[in-house]
Amino acid sequence: MTSENDVLESIDKLYDQLLALEKETGIIFSDSVTQNVGFEVLTDLKKEKHPSKMLSLDKTKDRDVLKKWLGNQDGVLSFKLDGLTIVAHYNDGKLQKAVTRGNGIVGEIITHNARFFKGLPAQIPFKENLIIRGEALMKYSEFERINELIPDETEKYKNPRNLASGTIRQLDSAMMKEREINFYAFTLVDGLDSNSYEERLNWLETQGFQVVKHKKVTINTLDKEMNNFGEEVKTNDFPSDGLVLFYDDIKYGNSLGSTSKFPRNGMAFKWKDETAKTVLRKIEWSASRTGLLNPVAIFDPVELEGTTVSRASVHNLSIIDSLKLNIGDTIDVFKANMIIPQIAENQTRSLKNIKNILPTCCPVCGREVNIEKNEDTVVLRCINKDCAAKHIGKFEHFVSRDAVNIIGLSSAKLEQLIDFGIIKEFKDLYSIEKNKDKIVNMEGFGEKSYENLKKSIEKSREIEPDHFLYALGIEEIGKSTSRDIMKYFHYDFEKIFEKNYDDFIKIDGIGEKMANNLVHYFDKNAEMVKELMKEFTFIVPEINENETALTNKTFVITGKLHIYANRDALKKEIENNGGKVVGSVSSKTDYLINNDSTSNSSKNKKAKELGIQIITEDQFEEMF
């Protein structure tokens, strides 16, 4: 029977053998038991500009395009891995720094976590400067293991890529002990003096790196190897969304230079989306508040990416015409980015004349519709300026919380007020007492409902100028843009009437289309707006014009508050001091404000995945 001492002696021998091998090869793996790498906790992820812009490869789904691109050159074919691109720097044989690709110009330094990646050695034999690029990803088996630990189905992670991204960007590297991230090198940027892409990848393997599977190909062997990769991806344990083909001759590839978007030394091949064949049964038309009629394709239900799909937006007449869509056609549908149903192709293309599929009149008001050309796109529009759809949508927007905020005025009540001719323009809402008798006798109203509505309307008369501008519903002018415009004009709404295109275009974030929309709107509606303004008292917020600790910081607010009256009050405090508040957590968020940091809410979870600091109201007050 083996004693405890015998076991310990065996372990010691194995440890000594490992030490000897590491010394002999010069390779030390990141998870080696000989290394005592301590965990680090950062306060934030430092950003770093890449020496040169990291461009994405041009993509195709057509093999013939790929063959034409390769020509008579040798190529190196590999999997296109679906993870996070990392640039790793080595000096004197040791990992010095790891940086994410980020937006291709600026990345985040994640060295504290990269030291734990499987396949990224802590030490290599090569002692000169070395820079490599690779993909850090989470395998399907690891993803499933983590999800199995979460009992609540609604709390489970959606896909390996997002979970890997959140893990890699954690501020506390202790998370890396709980989750396995694999690194696969795919490019040697600087180090070995070899002109062969394949030789460079093979050499990286001798240095202890885990390297993406690759195969040298010619135009004659490309099809066969692509088929092999296509079969293998079905059983691989790692996510891949296609293939990558580089010229093996590095000098040749580099001599081709790049476009403004893509380098010319490589090309990506995307796997074709999962498609399903079905039959188009109907085109529905929905009216928007701008008068545009948007077509929606209704087809026999099909299963796609695990869900049942029976309708897809077709967007405009140009798309209907290009697909030659007609009722009864056999169509191929897919989910763009595995989310949004779209029509990929029309197999029968039976439409001869686009007018045959258009509605004869507006589905809302029954009046005439008109075909218009909007830049390069053909659209359908209801030309009736009194169309109820336009009015309902316009008024719904006007009374919404972020606009004038008339509480209790639902779409159904607005429709009644419009149908009875009580409101035809915004100003009419502020003189509804003239129609009190008519309103109290309308279905769903009554004396009490009328009084509540009147109080809500009166309360809405005090408003901040940016909310008023947003309420007007000017095309392309949203909440944040309205705030930027009014801030630029120091919240003096009267100044807008004096300004022209050249003035608007100077405002940060305002493009040509927005500037033109503003000019067009106020040229046409200035008198209406001036009359409407008489119904309001403008409240000018106190703005801190100097740079503060909040300047350029982005926040998300969630959960119950105890210092500020509500989220709007806290939002206003942040914005008035140069900060920004958004609705969802992303990599651009600086802080999530939540008094319950232990909450399992989706925003908390997302923040933790992305390594974003969660702070309470009290901490917000102390910090800012």
Side-chain angles (χ1 to χ4, degrees):
M1 186 175 179
T2 306
S3 68
E4 185 178 337
N5 286 337
D6 292 334
V7 173
L8 291 173
E9 189 175 326
S10 297
I11 291 172
D12 287 340
K13 283 181 180 179
L14 289 170
Y15 184 85
D16 290 340
Q17 287 174 13
L18 178 60
L19 274 175
L21 279 170
E22 288 179 342
K23 188 174 181 180
E24 180 186 337
T25 62
I27 299 170
I28 300 177
F29 293 116
S30 56
D31 56 354
S32 172
V33 295
T34 67
Q35 303 300 300
N36 184 20
V37 182
F39 298 117
E40 290 183 63
V41 181
L42 306 182
T43 56
D44 62 1
L45 294 178
K46 303 296 182 188
K47 290 180 169 57
E48 178 171 289
K49 189 172 183 179
H50 297 297
S52 59
K53 189 174 181 180
M54 292 176 63
L55 298 172
S56 299
L57 292 176
D58 198 3
K59 302 176 184 67
T60 183
K61 293 182 181 180
D62 189 335
R63 290 191 179 206
D64 289 336
V65 171
L66 209 58
K67 290 175 186 176
K68 185 177 179 182
W69 176 85
L70 182 60
N72 60 3
Q73 291 287 321
D74 289 344
V76 178
L77 188 69
S78 64
F79 281 115
K80 185 176 182 294
L81 302 176
D82 192 16
L84 216 64
T85 299
I86 304 292
V87 185
H89 300 250
Y90 284 78
N91 189 24
D92 194 28
K94 295 176 182 176
L95 176 63
Q96 301 291 333
K97 182 172 59 178
V99 186
T100 66
R101 179 184 181 276
N103 61 7
I105 300 171
V106 177
E108 292 175 315
I109 299 173
I110 48 89
T111 317
H112 66 302
N113 285 331
R115 297 188 190 282
F116 298 91
F117 290 172
K118 190 173 181 180
L120 187 69
Q123 187 171 309
I124 60 176
F126 188 70
K127 299 301 179 186
E128 297 175 34
N129 286 338
L130 180 74
I131 302 174
I132 64 168
R133 291 178 189 167
E135 202 81 354
L137 56 82
M138 180 175 285
K139 292 186 175 181
Y140 289 123
S141 53
E142 175 68 356
F143 174 72
E144 289 162 6
R145 181 190 70 81
I146 292 170
N147 262 347
E148 283 173 6
L149 300 174
I150 304 170
D152 188 345
E153 284 294 324
T154 62
E155 297 293 326
K156 291 182 185 290
Y157 296 101
K158 298 294 183 287
N159 59 65
R161 190 186 190 282
N162 289 352
L163 182 53
S165 175
T167 302
I168 291 165
R169 299 183 67 256
Q170 285 288 328
L171 297 176
D172 186 351
S173 64
M175 176 67 75
M176 302 303 296
K177 187 178 181 180
E178 302 171 16
R179 299 175 181 176
E180 182 182 284
I181 298 293
N182 275 263
F183 178 88
Y184 290 87
F186 59 69
T187 298
L188 171 57
V189 180
D190 188 30
L192 181 69
D193 186 19
S194 168
N195 190 45
S196 167
Y197 200 93
E198 182 190 37
E199 280 182 17
R200 288 188 173 197
L201 290 179
N202 292 341
W203 178 79
L204 284 175
E205 284 188 294
T206 69
Q207 296 296 305
F209 291 99
Q210 189 167 234
V211 175
V212 64
K213 179 177 176 176
H214 54 280
K215 193 79 175 178
K216 198 166 183 177
V217 295
T218 65
I219 194 169
N220 296 320
T221 62
L222 183 59
D223 261 329
K224 177 187 173 184
E225 294 303 335
M226 288 179 74
N227 290 339
N228 292 338
F229 274 94
E231 284 302 310
E232 195 172 319
V233 78
K234 297 175 184 177
T235 56
N236 279 344
D237 193 23
F238 53 80
S240 166
D241 55 355
L243 300 172
V244 175
L245 183 62
F246 278 102
Y247 291 121
D248 186 53
D249 186 333
I250 293 170
K251 287 180 182 176
Y252 172 77
N254 290 342
S255 73
L256 301 175
S258 63
T259 68
S260 60
K261 293 182 179 180
F262 312 113
R264 292 194 173 101
N265 65 335
M267 181 170 276
F269 176 83
K270 298 282 284 183
W271 305 121
K272 289 191 180 294
D273 298 290
E274 181 186 342
T275 61
K277 206 175 296 295
T278 185
V279 177
L280 180 67
R281 297 300 180 189
K282 184 180 179 183
I283 296 283
E284 282 186 356
W285 299 86
S286 61
S288 70
R289 63 185 173 92
T290 61
L292 285 180
L293 300 182
N294 304 311
V296 178
I298 311 299
F299 44 80
D300 291 340
V302 288
E303 289 291 319
L304 277 178
E305 309 287 354
T307 61
T308 302
V309 177
S310 61
R311 55 196 294 127
S313 174
V314 194
H315 304 295
N316 52 57
L317 298 190
S318 294
I319 295 176
I320 286 181
D321 191 43
S322 66
L323 290 169
K324 299 300 177 188
L325 280 178
N326 204 358
I327 308 305
D329 279 349
T330 299
I331 57 175
D332 294 327
V333 294
F334 72 104
K335 278 188 176 180
N337 297 322
M338 297 190 292
I339 298 171
I340 304 165
Q342 290 188 10
I343 297 175
E345 188 52 78
N346 182 5
Q347 299 293 333
T348 43
R349 300 176 70 86
S350 68
L351 186 67
K352 303 300 181 186
N353 186 338
I354 195 168
K355 291 183 179 179
N356 293 341
I357 203 165
L358 299 185
T360 55
C361 60
C362 172
V364 177
C365 68
R367 298 280 294 277
E368 186 182 351
V369 294
N370 195 31
I371 297 175
E372 296 180 3
K373 190 165 185 180
N374 186 355
E375 295 179 352
D376 295 327
T377 304
V378 180
V379 297
L380 194 66
R381 189 186 297 275
C382 172
I383 62 174
N384 176 18
K385 65 183 179 63
D386 295 319
C387 176
K390 296 182 189 178
H391 276 335
I392 293 168
K394 186 170 70 172
F395 276 100
E396 280 177 338
H397 177 79
F398 183 78
V399 304
S400 64
R401 189 179 71 170
D402 293 310
V404 300
N405 192 24
I406 299 179
I407 299 167
L409 196 48
S410 65
S411 300
K413 287 182 177 178
L414 276 171
E415 192 170 348
Q416 284 179 290
L417 294 172
I418 291 167
D419 287 346
F420 277 84
I422 294 169
I423 55 172
K424 295 178 180 177
E425 54 183 312
F426 297 144
K427 189 181 176 183
D428 294 336
L429 281 165
Y430 293 89
S431 57
I432 62 167
E433 63 276 3
K434 292 189 295 187
N435 290 286
K436 179 181 176 180
D437 291 342
K438 191 182 289 187
I439 294 170
V440 295
N441 287 303
M442 285 163 50
E443 186 179 346
F445 270 93
E447 190 76 35
K448 189 173 181 180
S449 292
Y450 167 80
E451 291 300 332
N452 287 339
L453 177 58
K454 189 75 172 69
K455 284 178 186 176
S456 187
I457 290 172
E458 290 304 311
K459 190 176 179 181
S460 74
R461 289 181 183 274
E462 289 192 350
I463 193 170
E464 291 184 8
D466 55 312
H467 286 256
F468 181 79
L469 177 59
Y470 174 64
L472 297 176
I474 304 170
E475 195 170 352
E476 304 259 340
I477 307 300
K479 290 183 290 184
S480 60
T481 308
S482 297
R483 185 170 57 250
D484 291 342
I485 293 168
M486 293 317 306
K487 192 174 181 181
Y488 185 83
F489 293 131
H490 301 284
Y491 290 89
D492 184 351
F493 202 94
E494 294 285 350
K495 287 185 178 179
I496 284 186
F497 299 112
E498 308 164 6
K499 304 303 176 183
N500 57 29
Y501 174 88
D502 293 332
D503 297 307
F504 290 128
I505 202 70
K506 292 176 185 175
I507 302 172
D508 189 30
I510 298 291
E512 292 180 11
K513 193 170 183 181
M514 289 181 179
N516 279 322
N517 288 347
L518 285 161
V519 171
H520 177 74
Y521 183 87
F522 285 106
D523 279 350
K524 186 179 178 182
N525 299 292
E527 291 308 313
M528 178 276 288
V529 175
K530 287 177 182 178
E531 283 298 310
L532 182 61
M533 287 171 66
K534 294 176 183 178
E535 303 293 340
F536 292 89
T537 301
F538 287 118
I539 305 166
V540 178
E542 291 182 17
I543 304 298
N544 189 340
E545 299 291 351
N546 300 317
E547 188 165 316
T548 73
L550 291 168
T551 302
N552 297 327
K553 293 281 189 291
T554 301
F555 295 81
V556 173
I557 306 167
T558 191
K560 294 181 179 178
L561 303 177
H562 64 265
I563 295 177
Y564 291 86
N566 50 47
R567 292 185 194 178
D568 283 340
L570 176 52
K571 179 181 178 183
K572 192 175 294 184
E573 177 73 12
I574 292 169
E575 291 174 345
N576 289 351
N577 286 281
K580 183 180 180 181
V581 177
V582 296
S584 58
V585 177
S586 73
S587 58
K588 295 180 181 179
T589 307
D590 291 298
Y591 297 94
L592 171 63
I593 301 176
N594 187 354
N595 287 322
D596 182 7
S597 60
T598 62
S599 164
N600 284 323
S601 70
S602 58
K603 287 179 181 174
N604 264 34
K605 184 177 289 183
K606 184 75 171 177
K608 288 173 183 175
E609 284 178 14
L610 297 175
I612 291 161
Q613 190 172 353
I614 303 172
I615 60 174
T616 64
E617 276 180 281
D618 298 284
Q619 288 173 311
F620 171 79
E621 292 279 293
E622 290 170 13
M623 293 166 69
F624 301 107

